């Protein structure tokens, strides 16, 4: 490690530590004006909450944690009365703890927002880049660098610590956002510049998500600078995340248009057909109608056409935000994916199970939208969509999907849970021109390809048999080819009927015969 890298690592650690410390700074005080603000609390809920929150008025809380807990308790007190009286239709499901805690925050973070932003996030960015750039001095090409011995990349104590932090972050983000209001306040100026309003926890998430892809994308470009394919692919995921997933939707909000990610599609975008989303698009004239048609065309036309031509890599490895985070932030952990047959079996059951769940849930949603009836027999469609949002949208995709990077590899969600990946995979498996060809006669069985396959494919086994790789799970990232020292693996497009699905009896190097699928 060079001196510059040591300084960079120190600055990054300092920035990260300060970012954590900012959570404890400042105070929170509830005032009558905040409590009666209808932009924070709905008018119909104000009278209900006012009495139980009255003891909090004028009282100073030293942290957002204590304030958030107290206000959440006040709302729970109201809800408990309704539940005792079995008046479940009056229970308050809105999360008021976050907006009220943010509005009640005063002190160092609100007064010196820019200073704390640069001391924490800014310092961490500078430190990370100072650690990454000196790697350009190393010779290009893959280096194992003790990845199975380093505590951060081998499920060691550093990896467990990182995984724990990511899991806690997602738990707090989804279920207790009032605890991180100080982090949200730090990005308030950026939010106001983009969409004209204050930041929410989802703006903070989008900002951090994009930032991680950009910074770690630079690392990918440097690490794989011997492969133009990997460099262009890294730039692609950085571009689509920053522009399509973050900047354009925020600018649309500033223009009083629906928040819309033009590259996201059903069933990954599982709330696309939810009533509020459909109504929002249909009430926004030509642009809203275009968004609706565009969103449907993506999964009805673009998926089968582009997947037939390019395989699922056109989306999973070049466009998708989940894939972009996995390829950049998760790259140091790609070798942790389980390559066993047992994992493959589990993967097929879970990922296609989630796809079926998404289809059924959407059918329920559309039935309710067009008929106005929420019950289909004994099943409440709102309960089905809530269950999907909680178990798949929050727990699986976020907490497990990213939090388990350092433990199960960087494509946990894509491999085991993403319904869109399952849909793309079915097209790729049965009708696509894409395949990874193997020149088995040149394979020296080094195992680099299998080691770095993030989707848990034992690539070496295919290469040794001289068999094309057409697995539904393959996202075509091309890392197996980039790390192969013998040029055994190539990403190619050709007639689907020319795939080598059966291992040839004799492999003779570059002249290895092709056997057509019958």
């Amino acid at each position: 490690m060079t001196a510059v890298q040591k300084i960079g690592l120190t600055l990054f650690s300092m920035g990260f530590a300060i970012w954590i410390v900012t959570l404890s700074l400042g105070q929170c005080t509830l005032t009558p004006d905040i409590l009666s603000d209808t932009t924070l609390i709905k008018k119909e809920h104000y009278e209900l909450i006012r009495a139980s929150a009255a003891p909090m008025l004028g009282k100073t809380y030293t942290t957002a944690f204590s304030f958030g807990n107290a206000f959440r308790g006040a709302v729970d007190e109201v809800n408990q009365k309704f539940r005792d009286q079995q008046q479940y239709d009056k229970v308050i499901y809105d999360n008021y703890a976050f907006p009220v805690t943010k509005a009640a925050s005063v002190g160092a973070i609100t007064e010196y927002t820019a200073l704390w932003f640069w001391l924490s996030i800014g310092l961490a960015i500078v430190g990370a880049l100072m650690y990454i750039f000196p790697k350009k001095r190393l010779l290009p090409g893959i280096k194992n660098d003790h990845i199975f011995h380093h505590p951060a990349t081998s499920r060691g104590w550093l990896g467990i610590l990182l995984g724990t932090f990511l899991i806690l972050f997602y738990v707090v983000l989804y279920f207790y956002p009032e605890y991180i209001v100080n982090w949200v306040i730090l990005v308030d100026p950026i939010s106001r510049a983009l969409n004209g309003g204050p930041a929410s926890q989802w703006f903070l998430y989008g900002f951090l998500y994009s930032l991680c892809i950009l910074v770690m994308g630079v690392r990918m470009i440097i690490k794989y600078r011997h492969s133009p394919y990997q460099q262009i692919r890294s730039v692609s995921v950085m571009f689509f995340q920053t522009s399509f997933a973050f900047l354009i939707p925020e600018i649309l909000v500033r223009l009083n248009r629906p928040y819309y990610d033009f590259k996201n599609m059903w069933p990954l975008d599982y709330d696309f057909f939810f009533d509020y989303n459909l109504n929002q698009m249909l009430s926004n004239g030509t642009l809203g109608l275009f968004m609706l048609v565009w969103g449907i065309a993506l999964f009805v036309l673009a998926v089968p056409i582009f997947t037939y031509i390019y395989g699922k890599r056109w989306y999973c490895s070049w466009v998708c935000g989940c894939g972009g985070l996995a390829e950049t932030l998760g790259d140091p952990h790609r070798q942790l994916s389980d390559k066993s047959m047992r994992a493959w079996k589990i993967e097929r059951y879970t990922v296609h199970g989630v796809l079926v769940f998404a289809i059924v849930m959407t059918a329920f949603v559309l039935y309710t939208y067009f008929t106005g009836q929420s019950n289909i027999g004994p099943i409440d469609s709102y309960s089905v969509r809530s269950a999907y949002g909680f178990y798949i949208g929050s727990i699986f995709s976020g907490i497990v999907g990213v939090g388990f990077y350092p433990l199960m590899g960087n494509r946990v969600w894509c491999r085991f849970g993403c319904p869109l990946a399952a849909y793309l995979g079915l097209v790729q498996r049965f009708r696509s021109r894409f395949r990874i060809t193997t020149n088995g006669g040149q394979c020296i069985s080094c195992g680099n390809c299998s080691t770095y396959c993030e989707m848990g494919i034992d690539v070496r086994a295919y290469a040794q048999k001289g068999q094309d790789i057409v697995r539904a799970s393959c996202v075509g990232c091309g890392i197996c080819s980039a790390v192969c020292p013998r040029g055994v693996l190539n990403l190619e497009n050709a007639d689907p009927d020319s795939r080598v699905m059966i291992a040839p009896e004799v492999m003779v190097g570059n002249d290895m015969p092709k056997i057509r699928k019958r």
Side-chain angles (χ1 to χ4, degrees), residues 481-492:
S481 176
V483 300
C484 177
R486 299 279 290 175
V488 171
L489 304 158
N490 289 291
L491 282 66
E492 297 181 7

Side-chain angles (χ1 to χ4, degrees), residues 38-107:
T38 54
T39 63
L40 303 175
I41 301 175
K42 292 177 182 174
K43 192 175 181 180
E44 61 267 28
H45 292 154
Y46 166 66
E47 288 297 335
L48 299 173
I49 296 174
R50 184 172 63 87
S52 59
M56 295 178 63
L57 288 171
K59 184 178 178 181
T60 298
Y61 293 80
T62 54
T63 66
F65 298 94
S66 55
F67 182 91
N69 283 335
F71 195 83
R72 186 182 283 269
V75 177
D76 288 344
E77 183 181 324
V78 174
N79 285 335
Q80 190 57 48
K81 291 179 182 175
F82 287 132
R83 291 193 178 97
D84 291 342
Q85 298 168 7
Q86 297 187 343
Q87 296 177 315
Y88 299 108
D89 58 325
K90 294 184 178 179
V91 171
I92 300 172
Y93 294 104
D94 301 84
N95 180 10
Y96 292 129
F98 170 75
V100 172
T101 304
K102 189 175 179 221
S105 294
V106 293

